Amino acid sequence: MIDLYWTVIPVLLVYYYAAHPLAQFDRWRSKLVIALTWVWSIRLTHNYFRRENWQWGAREDWRFTDMRRQYVDKPLNIWDFVAALVCLCGVVTAYFADTQLHDFVTRNHKLKELGKPMVPNLDRGLWRYSRHPNYFGEQLWWWGLVVFAWSLGHGWTFVGALVNSICLAYVTVLVEQRMLKQEYRADAYRLYQKTTSACVPWFKSSAVAVKDKHT
């Protein structure tokens, strides 16, 4: 599939970026790059068809054939069902968390329009047990895919999910820093941080909350 479309995809991409309403570039440099991309595409497309005796998609590149042989094909087993359950739980968790967040934000917008005090923090539903349940659900999806791969002997794929988790952890820090910069919710969010799990849903730390209120 890569060989069939790789020679034309870059042409589509340069036109997409050139036509984007927020694009900023020198018009003549853009035209020059687009023209050169067309030259590159025509050269590579011509070479592909010449090599394949002017047939399209009739043969697979030998490198991809060799790569495919390296992968193990096993019958469906219990680990596939475990992986599917993890993925499904991730999607469902993220959906409900995002929906609850959307409703919260919408409600606060209406309160602001009416000149009423906004609710400083969302700590209901899934957000009662995790400060970022939507992120947790997203991570479940990716780690579920790792279980699929692991059951086929390709556990090394955990690297991709790990990098994804690290990136999302960084985003989580940025989100929480932004929350603490908003005066109307800073105090409530600090308490929320002390009592609520950062990612994995868990019971609230009521002892910390009580201690914080007394101090």
Side-chain angles (χ1 to χ4, degrees):
M1 296 300 291
I2 293 176
D3 274 359
L4 302 184
Y5 302 107
W6 168 242
T7 64
V8 295
I9 288 175
V11 176
L12 300 178
L13 289 175
V14 292
Y15 275 108
Y16 168 77
Y17 283 109
H20 197 282
L22 297 181
Q24 295 181 3
F25 51 79
D26 179 83
R27 185 164 62 97
W28 289 108
R29 182 183 296 111
S30 175
K31 289 181 180 297
L32 177 60
V33 171
I34 290 174
L36 289 171
T37 306
W38 266 108
V39 172
W40 170 87
S41 176
I42 292 170
R43 196 283 306 174
L44 198 57
T45 303
H46 172 265
N47 184 65
Y48 169 80
F49 279 109
R50 182 175 56 183
R51 186 187 67 201
E52 301 301 316
N53 294 319
W54 308 103
Q55 299 179 78
W56 186 72
R59 179 178 70 92
E60 183 180 49
D61 188 292
W62 62 269
R63 289 165 292 190
F64 297 118
T65 304
D66 285 350
M67 287 174 63
R68 189 174 65 255
R69 288 171 181 164
Q70 297 173 17
Y71 289 88
V72 181
D73 187 18
K74 295 180 180 178
L76 197 68
N77 58 58
I78 186 63
W79 287 110
D80 292 305
F81 291 104
V82 171
L85 181 61
V86 173
C87 287
L88 185 59
C89 286
V91 173
V92 172
T93 299
Y95 169 78
F96 281 106
D98 283 337
T99 300
Q100 291 165 4
L101 179 61
H102 173 77
D103 293 342
F104 172 77
V105 172
T106 301
R107 193 181 314 118
N108 262 353
H109 278 317
K110 290 181 179 179
L111 290 173
K112 186 176 181 179
E113 290 175 356
L114 295 173
K116 296 180 179 180
M118 293 188 292
V119 180
N121 191 51
L122 171 59
D123 58 357
R124 296 290 184 269
L126 292 172
W127 299 81
R128 176 177 177 80
Y129 306 99
S130 169
R131 301 203 300 270
H132 303 280
N134 50 346
Y135 293 170
F136 173 72
E138 179 70 10
Q139 289 307 297
L140 279 183
W141 161 260
W142 291 108
W143 285 99
L145 296 182
V146 172
V147 178
F148 272 118
W150 175 80
S151 70
L152 293 173
H154 293 278
W156 57 268
T157 57
F158 86 94
V159 174
L162 180 61
V163 171
N164 189 302
S165 296
I166 292 173
C167 291
L168 205 53
Y170 176 68
V171 171
T172 299
V173 173
L174 296 180
V175 169
E176 298 208 346
Q177 288 177 345
R178 182 173 181 270
M179 294 293 186
L180 295 174
K181 290 179 181 179
Q182 298 174 337
E183 293 184 6
Y184 80 97
R185 68 169 17 141
D187 291 338
Y189 201 81
R190 287 192 186 94
L191 180 61
Y192 185 55
Q193 287 178 313
K194 293 178 181 179
T195 60
T196 310
S197 170
C199 186
V200 180
W202 194 247
F203 298 103
K204 275 188 173 293
S205 178
S206 56
V208 175
V210 172
K211 180 180 179 182
D212 189 79
K213 287 181 179 178
H214 287 308
T215 56

